[in-house]
Every structure is written in C-alpha cells, then in structure tokens.
Amino acid sequence: MDATTAPHRIPPEMPQYGEENHIFELMQNMLEQLLIHQPEDPIPFMIQHLHRDNDNVPRIIILGPPASGKTTIAMWLCKHLNSSLLTVENLILNEFSYTATEARRLYLQRKTVPSALLVQLIQERLAEEDCIKRGWILDGIPETREQALRIQTLGIAPRHVIMLSAPDTVLIERNLGKRIDPQTGEIYHTTFDWPPESEIQNRLMAPEDISELETAQKLLEYHRNIVRVIPSYPKILKVISADQPCVDVFYQALTYVQSNHRTNAPFTPRVLLLGPVGSGKSLQAALLAQKYRLVNVCCGQLLKEAVADRTTFGERIQPFFEKEMAVPDSLLMKVLSQRLDQQDCIQKGWVLHGVPRDLDQAHLLNSLGYNPNSVSRGWPQEGTERAKAWKQEPHPPLRLPPFGASVSSLAKWN
C-alpha cells in the first residue's frame, strides 16, 4: 500500500496485542542478534534463533572484591535457577578443549589467564547446550576493562549484572576466616558459616593468599580495575551491600535477576488504583489522568451517569440505588466494559478505581481482558479522622502488589 495516497491506519488494538505478546522485544532481540553475528543468510539464522527459544534464560554476571561472597551467591543462584556456573577455575579444567589445555598451562605458570584466551574459553563454553538452554552465570568475570570489551565484541550480553560491595576492613577480616571444602568446592567461614557436620569440618582447608597483606593488595587491584568495568553495564548493574547476612544478599540478588528491565516498547497505560475509603484514590486518579492524559474511569461515577442518562443499563441499575443495594457484578461489568471499549480508553489508556472490590469482581475483570499493567494501593492519610478509624478496624497485614500484577492475582493483595 502506498502510504502517500492511502495512509496506513493502525488499529488501536494492535499495540495492545504487541504488548501482550512481547512483539517489540522479540523484534529488537532478533535485530541485535543479526547485527552481532551478521550471518550470510539471515532467514535461516532467525529461524534457528527462534527455535532456540532462550531469550529469557538467565544471563548473569556477578562482580565483587575478594571475600565479598560472590562465589557463594553465584553458586546459590545456579542451584535456584538451574543455570550453569562459569568461573576461571572450571573453564580451564575442560579436558576436551585445546584452548582450556593451553590456559591451564599458563595458569599454572603465572596464576593468571590472558584476557584473549579467557574470553575465548567463555565463548566456547557458552556455545554448549546447557548454557544455551538453561542460561549461565559468570563469577567474577570480567575483571578488567579489556575483558569487558572483548566479551561485548563477541556479542555476549548479560541481562543482569550484580556488584557486591563492602568496606575493605570487613573484607580483610572476612577473608582470614575463609575455608574451602576440597570435595564440593563449597566455601565456609570460621565465624559466619561453620558447617555442623564434623566430617566436613575435618576436611576444610584454608585457601592460599588470604593473609592481610595479600588481601589488601588484591583489593587495591580490584578497585583500580572495577571503576573501568562499571561503565560497560550502565543500565543493568545493581550494587548490593555484602556487609549483611549472606541469606539477605542472596534474596536481594535473586529478586533482581528475576525482575524484568523496563522495556522501550510503546505501551498503553492501564492503571488500577486500590485502597479503602479515604485513601485518596479519586484524587490520585484525577492527577494521573491529567498528567499522562489518561481516561479517568470511576466505577461508581459510571453507574450514577448511567442512571442519570436513563440508559438501558441505567434503568436496570436504578432499583438497586433506590433500595441502597449493591449492583450485581454482571451488570456492573457490562457498564464498565461499555466504557473501557470506547476509542479514547483504547488509544490513550485508562486509570481505573472503585473496582474490583472482591475476588469475584477480579476474576470477572480478568476474564473480560482488562488486565492492568500497573497496580497501586493506598491508605488514608496519616493523622486524619478516617485514618484513625481505619487503623482501629481489623485488617490483614498490608502487602503492596508488584508492578504489572494481573487482575486475577489481586485477591491476595486485597
């Protein structure tokens, strides 16, 4: 079709379909893979990429200074996510790779692996089936700016980067108590994480290079290098304090790697506001609608307007108003559907409040396809009479719903 003579008219339902099926992210990912690999025949390459279906597998990098616990966190994440752990040690132990053999020889001589050789090992390992299907976690790699650039040049792009941080004095003290199980590779600590089994205690060994002076030298080298590595991951890096219980660090890391980054895909805002009487839902809905040019949809106001306009639905609603009874959910949803299906709601988006009030209404709203992509809950302003009365009433513990929660899952938040 010639756009100059007959301009393209995109139906308003198409952006919603693209959002629900992640079309934008799919096309963006395929374009990135084409630009990285530059295949001679793009069509078979894209078909093969789609067959892999691994765009959402874990691709994680964990960075941190010595004794920050990055290896422990990486191992726990691997067990939880069922992914493959990549460290310098297990990369050079691959007996079926000539590159690993050469890297192992150099490592025994110099205690380091050249950056070019290390990145080549990573590339070979990531091409294996387990990394493709189940994802991967890089422990402590890259260490330098050179390694980071080489990894990026090969198109190896992590989805999440975690950097552990702690004061040097804490790290030096922690490093002195580190012990390693030679059979399992598990890391323990004489103070913070001592195994209860006597059999494990007896075989634990102190690693090399854990003296205060050697640890301080490693920390100095780490700080010199990490400031040049950080700019390589500007939008996907999260800093987590390692100066807290290891379990807390793990759950913060797990929460981050299981989150999705905000996409650049266009979307139609569908905002749902929840909260008791006096929490300010109406005011916040009006402010949101004004700022972002959304349609302010108040369920109670829709019912009143239907009665005032004497519509077909209004005539059926009026007897319930006169008897001060709740309007049946089926009738309420018909009025709501009629409003949300109008062109301004489809094109601009909406902010909805006053419904759902219970689980049945949430299921009905979900079955009709009106899924919000942002959910917020409020409560009465502190110090007001409504807030005081609301606090005296019995309430379950307040938990805020996650961003993007579906309507069907709202029952547990109400």
Side-chain angles (χ1 to χ4, degrees), residues 11-24 268 270:
E13 294 81 5
M14 284 185 64
Q16 184 174 350
Y17 174 84
E19 180 185 347
E20 292 175 353
N21 294 277
H22 307 287
I23 301 300
F24 181 90
T268 304
R270 299 187 299 278

Side-chain angles (χ1 to χ4, degrees), residues 9-166:
R9 297 188 182 277
I10 300 176
E13 294 81 5
M14 284 185 64
Q16 184 174 350
Y17 174 84
E19 180 185 347
E20 292 175 353
N21 294 277
H22 307 287
I23 301 300
F24 181 90
E25 293 88 340
L26 176 64
M27 300 302 295
Q28 184 180 38
N29 186 272
M30 291 179 64
L31 179 59
E32 289 176 355
Q33 295 300 316
L34 285 173
L35 293 176
I36 290 170
H37 298 283
Q38 299 181 9
E40 295 182 0
D41 195 345
I43 302 302
F45 175 83
M46 289 190 290
I47 293 174
Q48 183 182 10
H49 175 75
L50 291 173
H51 280 309
R52 284 182 174 181
D53 190 26
N54 66 341
D55 290 340
N56 296 319
V57 299
R59 298 195 298 271
I60 304 166
I61 288 179
I62 299 184
L63 305 174
S68 60
K70 58 181 179 295
T71 300
T72 300
I73 299 301
M75 292 175 66
W76 288 4
L77 286 175
C78 278
K79 292 178 181 178
H80 191 89
L81 301 174
N82 192 28
S83 299
S84 300
L85 177 62
L86 279 66
T87 66
V88 175
E89 288 76 12
N90 63 30
L91 285 173
I92 65 176
L93 290 177
N94 187 352
E95 298 180 355
F96 302 99
S97 169
Y98 171 79
T99 307
T101 304
E102 179 65 16
R104 188 162 57 250
R105 184 183 64 81
L106 294 174
Y107 185 79
L108 292 174
Q109 293 177 356
R110 311 174 187 176
K111 296 299 181 182
T112 59
V113 179
S115 296
L117 204 57
L118 178 62
V119 174
Q120 187 177 349
L121 281 172
I122 295 173
Q123 186 181 25
E124 291 180 0
R125 183 69 179 86
L126 295 184
E128 296 181 11
E129 190 71 14
D130 60 333
C131 291
I132 294 174
K133 294 296 183 182
R134 297 190 281 113
W136 46 267
I137 298 178
L138 277 176
D139 174 18
I141 306 171
E143 295 181 336
T144 64
R145 173 72 170 171
E146 180 188 1
Q147 292 179 6
L149 293 178
R150 286 180 178 273
I151 289 174
Q152 288 182 332
T153 302
L154 294 174
I156 302 172
R159 298 181 63 212
H160 300 89
V161 178
I162 296 172
M163 187 177 76
L164 303 181
S165 175

